[in-house]
Amino acid sequence: IILIGFLLMVGLEKWPVTRRLRAKWRSRERSRNPLITHFKHAFYILRHPVDGFTAIRYEGKGTYWSAAILIAGTYSALLIREYVTSFSFQLTAFVNVYTVFTQFFIVWITWVIANYLVSSIYRGEGRFRDIFIGSAYALVPYILIGIPLAFLSNAMTLSESSIYHFISQGLVIWIGLLMFWNTQWIHNYSVGETLINIFLTLVTMIVIGILLFITLGLTSDFISFLYEIYQEVSLR
């Protein structure tokens, strides 16, 4: 299949009609809608991640609105995968929409905050805006591949599970690489500095999680204490 696809690509590349269509497509009138332009940049990052993430930092590409829409799209893709994926590959019987949102959003926003805090101390050049937008744009592959894979899983059997898991793991690796390049080029790091930054970011995320857990626990106990005092006063 790969060989046939390669031969078709070479044949189409040399076909005069293909060249005329490509020239016509390149000379088309470009959309001037800022939101559409920023979405195009998200797809540009998939092909040229280094230039794409550098443009977010130094050319002001991307907005909070486009990033928020992509985050919402990623959350929708997560729900679609939970609901649509064949039971042969996912044994989830009940999907809690609120739990999926909480787990996804808390992990993502904690990554953004932790990375900003670490990079502020560790010679990072990226602003909070750049980290927020870049981390959202790095999730685009999950929307493009995760949704079709969920529907495709219903046409697969267990004997084809290796294909499903190969694509799933490749998707995770792709997003991981985009996150790596995002951290590297947003902050203008070397490879070693990027690895140290990611490690410190993960440690910071754990610390933030522990602090939130303690704070929520103490808050819950304090509210219960106030409620018990209220009951004592009202009964007496």
Side-chain angles (χ1 to χ4, degrees):
I1 292 174
I2 295 174
L3 178 60
I4 293 173
F6 176 76
L7 293 176
L8 287 174
M9 287 178 60
V10 173
L12 291 173
E13 186 73 23
K14 296 183 178 180
W15 195 25
V17 176
T18 305
R19 294 180 179 177
R20 288 197 296 269
L21 290 174
R22 186 183 296 108
K24 186 176 180 181
W25 173 258
R26 289 176 178 173
S27 61
R28 74 190 186 283
E29 184 179 356
R30 307 284 180 170
S31 174
R32 297 182 180 179
N33 188 311
L35 190 60
I36 294 177
T37 303
H38 294 310
F39 280 133
K40 287 182 179 179
H41 187 72
F43 290 97
Y44 176 80
I45 286 176
L46 301 181
R47 295 180 287 113
H48 306 284
V50 175
D51 294 336
F53 288 122
T54 304
I56 291 176
R57 173 63 185 92
Y58 298 102
E59 299 177 20
K61 295 294 181 68
T63 61
Y64 281 113
W65 277 109
S66 60
I69 292 173
L70 289 175
I71 293 169
T74 306
Y75 170 63
S76 301
L78 283 168
L79 289 181
I80 290 173
R81 287 199 69 179
E82 292 287 337
Y83 278 110
V84 178
T85 301
S86 172
F87 66 90
S88 299
F89 305 102
Q90 183 170 278
L91 301 177
T92 304
F94 175 75
V95 178
N96 190 321
V97 177
Y98 175 76
T99 301
V100 173
F101 173 79
T102 304
Q103 292 175 348
F104 162 68
F105 185 74
I106 287 179
V107 171
W108 184 85
I109 195 63
T110 305
W111 160 268
V112 174
I113 295 173
N115 189 263
Y116 174 72
L117 294 175
V118 171
S119 61
S120 298
I121 300 173
Y122 191 62
R123 303 187 303 277
E125 298 181 4
R127 300 162 296 182
F128 181 84
R129 170 192 178 277
D130 306 323
I131 301 170
F132 187 96
I133 295 172
S135 299
Y137 281 24
L139 299 176
V140 171
Y142 196 90
I143 303 174
L144 297 179
I145 298 178
I147 296 176
L149 181 62
F151 286 98
L152 185 63
S153 67
N154 292 277
M156 292 181 173
T157 62
L158 284 176
S159 60
E160 298 164 330
S161 61
S162 59
I163 300 174
Y164 176 86
H165 293 301
F166 175 78
I167 298 175
S168 296
Q169 293 168 4
L171 176 61
V172 173
I173 293 173
W174 191 5
I175 294 175
L177 288 174
L178 288 176
M179 284 292 189
F180 179 88
W181 289 321
N182 171 50
T183 303
Q184 181 179 8
W185 297 105
I186 288 291
H187 300 299
N188 194 21
Y189 282 151
S190 64
V191 174
E193 290 174 331
T194 305
L195 292 173
I196 294 174
N197 179 278
I198 292 175
F199 173 75
L200 293 176
T201 299
L202 295 176
V203 173
T204 306
M205 289 176 66
I206 295 173
V207 173
I208 292 174
I210 294 173
L211 291 176
L212 286 175
F213 179 77
I214 294 173
T215 303
L216 291 175
L218 292 175
T219 303
S220 177
D221 292 340
F222 181 67
I223 293 174
S224 299
F225 174 71
L226 292 179
Y227 181 70
E228 290 176 1
I229 293 177
Y230 169 74
Q231 283 184 321
E232 287 288 337
V233 172
S234 60
L235 290 174
R236 292 189 181 185

